[in-house]
Amino acid sequence: MKRFQAISNWQQTVHVLNRQRHARFSYKSSPLPLSKLKTLDHTKAASPSLTHARRQLTDSRSLSSSSTATTTSLPFKKYSLPRKGAMNGSDGKKRTAYIALGSNLGDRIAWIEKACNEMDARGIKVKRTSSLWETEPMYVLDQDRFVNGACEVETTLEPLELLDALQDIENSLGRKKVIDKGPRNIDLDILLYEDLKINHPRLTIPHIGIPEREFVLKPLTELIPDKPIDHARPWTLCRDYLDALAPSNPPLTTMTPLSSHHPPIQALNSNRKTHVMAILNMTPDSFSDGGQNTTVDESHLLSTIQSFLSAGATMIDIGGQSTAPNAPEVSVETELSRVLPAIKLIRTHFASQPILISVDTYRASVAEAAVAAGADIVNDVSGGSMDPAMLPTVARLGTTICLMHMRGTPATMNSLAEYPEGLIPGIAKELVSRVAAAEEAGIRRWRIVLDPGLGFAKVGPQNVDVLRHLDELRHWPGLQGLPWLVGSSRKTFIGRITGVPTPKERIWGTAATVAAAVQGGADVVRVHDVREMSQVVVMADAIWRY
């Protein structure tokens, strides 16, 4: 009889526990963290029989099927209940989550960037971002194409708190949900949170749509290719889910914004057009055209700029500090006095034309002043390594940066051209580290362009090898999907191969390198002879971009 009574008491206790747990999981409007759902530990005066029943209930769960176990083995029990009114998670511990980013209304990239900035402002630190991918709509097909991405965040918020914060960001940015999976200016979804598996009326983690959505798996695989999504299936990695999907037709492409007045680069679009970047040196000592634009009147400079545009240039790269080997370093004031008037001149006299302006500098203060004057892109030959303030400054400005591969400084680079691991692996690994440094500083991945750095810590035939293997660099792990700029114009290696000592006469050798760059996948070619190279690019695009 006592045994029967004990079993009866245990069953009643289990029934009470299950009812209370069910009631907690069914409270749809609760803004409280999932830790509040986890336990009855606040019942400090629990009887021995209740403790025993709780232990037996836990044991019985562990013996159930794997699907039931993942639903009812509550991993949120590791989190304690936050203090009443606390804004952060229960214990202040930093946790990692992955958030999906999407938009298909208005300036889609701008909405996503605003959402990321809002997360940062609210203490949800965006640690890394994927590329942005343009995708066709899914489920509701009669709507514009989406821009999708993902980000890795660090947060002290627990899952439901994080969900509340993301929904509040959506609301603050004016999102209005008309129909489910319909048009929206911003969409933020929690994909993963630590290793948790959560089934709650307001939140399912891992996100239920991950395995079937290429537009989610593409960016997520950029961030965590070797991480399992479902920890009940640890052998199936994120990349495996992506490989199991039939690829989109046409394939998805990344998007790199350049400015609000020009379309983004789509580096994986096979029929994209190559940008021609015209070089506007405002220095007296550049190796090729030094002094050409420094001692003439404004009308001559305007004529030069107009000739660039008429010849087919879509970008103008303005530099005030020569980076030729052993060139003397000028003061910040001197560099600013050279580049700012040229930028302002373009913005004043060509305001109606969608000209992209790049500033060629490795100084953060020059980059910031140039962007304030109207520059769109920062082109840093040092990849952000010569001025420790450069990457944080560009992150704060929210502009696109070109990270070039270089070793040392312009004065020392030619003595640093040995690559024991091989030229291409050496360049690739060092660029991967610069991309990581940019992301660590807060630069979004979709704001990065790469440059292999011809003539910088590369001598003679090494430059030809880079052109031969540009496509290999484009597909190097950690660099895929990023656009590339190639600057070969009039360089010394061309003169040595062709036997043409005068830089201005190296037009035909330059033409061959520009064609090779297009074939290898370059998105931008940086040139002096704009009219001639624009023709080369048009022809090369017709051959290789289809």
Side-chain angles (χ1 to χ4, degrees):
M1 186 65 179
K2 289 182 179 179
R3 181 180 180 185
F4 175 80
Q5 185 65 43
I7 294 174
S8 177
N9 289 342
W10 175 82
Q11 289 174 333
Q12 290 177 16
T13 304
V14 170
H15 180 65
V16 169
L17 286 170
N18 279 329
R19 286 188 61 187
Q20 293 189 18
R21 183 172 58 83
H22 176 74
R24 294 171 186 272
F25 273 80
S26 300
Y27 188 39
K28 297 184 180 181
S29 62
S30 170
L32 294 176
L34 281 172
S35 63
K36 182 128 182 167
L37 308 176
K38 57 109 177 176
T39 182
L40 296 179
D41 286 345
H42 62 281
T43 311
K44 295 182 179 179
S47 65
S49 60
L50 180 60
T51 302
H52 178 69
R54 187 184 292 119
R55 186 179 300 114
Q56 287 186 294
L57 177 60
T58 302
D59 292 342
S60 68
R61 287 174 184 155
S62 66
L63 296 174
S64 60
S65 67
S66 60
S67 61
T68 304
T70 54
T71 302
T72 59
S73 59
L74 305 180
F76 2 100
K77 68 184 178 183
K78 68 178 73 170
Y79 308 127
S80 60
L81 187 67
R83 299 184 308 277
K84 185 176 181 180
M87 294 300 293
N88 292 328
S90 57
D91 54 10
K93 181 181 177 181
K94 295 177 181 179
R95 302 179 177 101
T96 299
Y98 294 88
I99 311 297
L101 312 165
S103 174
N104 77 328
L105 289 177
D107 190 336
R108 300 167 297 172
I109 295 175
W111 283 120
I112 289 174
E113 292 189 323
K114 287 178 182 177
C116 289
N117 292 339
E118 275 292 312
M119 283 190 274
D120 280 331
R122 298 178 185 219
I124 305 168
K125 182 174 177 55
V126 178
K127 298 283 288 183
R128 294 188 298 148
T129 60
S130 69
S131 302
L132 291 179
W133 299 79
E134 187 171 52
T135 66
E136 296 295 330
M138 194 174 181
Y139 308 115
V140 179
L141 303 182
D142 187 20
Q143 56 181 319
D144 291 335
R145 286 178 294 179
F146 275 83
V147 172
N148 289 105
C151 63
E152 177 184 287
V153 302
E154 183 180 81
T155 181
T156 57
L157 299 176
E158 297 196 41
L160 282 182
E161 288 180 309
L162 179 59
L163 177 63
D164 288 338
L166 296 179
Q167 290 179 345
D168 190 58
I169 290 172
E170 291 177 335
N171 292 335
S172 71
L173 295 179
R175 171 173 172 170
K176 290 180 173 57
K177 188 172 183 178
V178 180
I179 59 172
D180 187 38
K181 299 179 176 62
R184 57 270 200 193
N185 67 319
I186 190 64
D187 192 22
L188 304 173
D189 290 314
I190 304 175
L191 299 174
L192 302 169
Y193 185 105
E194 294 283 290
D195 296 334
L196 297 188
K197 188 175 180 74
I198 299 170
N199 287 300
H200 181 266
R202 294 187 61 211
L203 182 63
T204 301
I205 297 178
H207 192 287
I208 194 171
I210 293 176
E212 66 185 31
R213 300 176 182 177
E214 187 184 15
F215 64 82
V216 172
L217 282 168
K218 276 280 191 183
L220 194 58
T221 300
E222 285 185 286
L223 295 172
I224 48 169
D226 299 317
K227 180 180 175 67
I229 292 174
D230 184 350
H231 286 268
R233 296 168 52 85
W235 56 86
T236 307
L237 308 178
C238 191
R239 68 168 80 232
D240 297 327
Y241 286 95
L242 180 60
D243 292 341
L245 289 180
S248 298
N249 187 20
L252 303 188
T253 181
T254 55
M255 304 178 73
T256 301
L258 301 170
S259 77
S260 60
H261 54 78
H262 203 283
I265 293 176
Q266 296 187 324
L268 300 180
N269 185 343
S270 62
N271 61 5
R272 69 195 184 279
K273 292 183 178 181
T274 306
H275 283 276
V276 175
M277 173 184 277
I279 299 170
L280 185 62
N281 280 325
M282 303 301 296
T283 57
D285 56 348
S286 287
F287 82 99
S288 174
D289 57 354
Q292 182 172 299
N293 301 305
T294 58
T295 59
V296 296
D297 58 22
E298 184 177 287
S299 62
H300 180 87
L301 188 57
L302 284 172
S303 177
T304 299
I305 295 167
Q306 183 60 63
S307 70
F308 289 163
L309 301 177
S310 300
T314 53
M315 302 178 177
I316 297 179
D317 190 43
I318 302 173
Q321 163 69 62
S322 175
T323 53
N326 301 313
E329 188 172 11
V330 302
S331 67
V332 171
E333 292 73 22
T334 299
E335 188 177 358
L336 287 171
S337 71
R338 293 172 177 176
V339 301
L340 293 185
I343 295 172
K344 293 174 182 177
L345 188 71
I346 294 173
R347 287 295 176 236
T348 300
H349 290 270
F350 300 93
S352 61
Q353 299 186 46
I355 306 169
L356 290 161
I357 298 177
S358 167
V359 58
D360 180 3
T361 185
Y362 50 77
R363 289 172 165 148
S365 58
V366 175
E368 182 159 15
V371 170
D376 304 292
I377 302 161
V378 176
N379 184 13
D380 185 348
V381 297
S382 77
S385 64
M386 289 182 66
D387 184 346
M390 176 63 90
L391 297 180
T393 297
V394 171
R396 176 169 48 81
L397 295 172
T399 55
T400 295
I401 185 170
C402 181
L403 303 174
M404 196 187 80
H405 176 266
M406 183 178 75
R407 290 174 168 179
T409 67
T412 63
M413 60 187 180
N414 283 347
S415 64
L416 301 172
E418 293 186 8
Y419 295 83
E421 294 182 81
L423 178 66
I424 300 304
I427 294 171
K429 290 178 181 178
E430 288 168 27
L431 279 176
V432 168
S433 71
R434 298 318 302 157
V435 170
E439 290 181 314
E440 178 67 24
I443 296 175
R444 314 305 185 200
R445 186 178 180 84
W446 56 76
R447 285 283 182 181
I448 296 174
V449 178
L450 298 177
D451 182 340
L454 297 179
F456 289 78
K458 297 159 203 76
V459 294
Q462 289 178 324
N463 296 285
V464 177
D465 284 341
V466 171
L467 287 170
R468 284 192 186 119
H469 299 284
L470 182 60
D471 191 56
E472 184 179 343
L473 279 172
R474 290 177 66 237
H475 290 90
W476 195 272
L479 303 179
Q480 306 101 318
L482 295 173
W484 287 78
L485 181 154
V486 174
S488 58
S489 185
R490 300 181 178 179
K491 290 200 169 175
T492 302
F493 78 94
I494 296 175
R496 288 179 177 171
I497 292 172
T498 61
V500 179
T502 305
K504 289 184 179 181
E505 296 178 0
R506 296 170 185 164
I507 295 176
W508 301 114
T510 296
T513 64
V514 167
V518 173
Q519 182 186 22
D523 301 275
V524 184
V525 291
R526 183 178 181 271
V527 300
H528 297 87
D529 305 293
V530 179
R531 184 171 300 281
E532 294 86 348
M533 296 312 123
S534 292
Q535 293 179 23
V536 172
V537 163
V538 169
M539 197 66 230
D541 280 351
I543 297 170
W544 288 297
R545 301 283 164 88
Y546 53 87

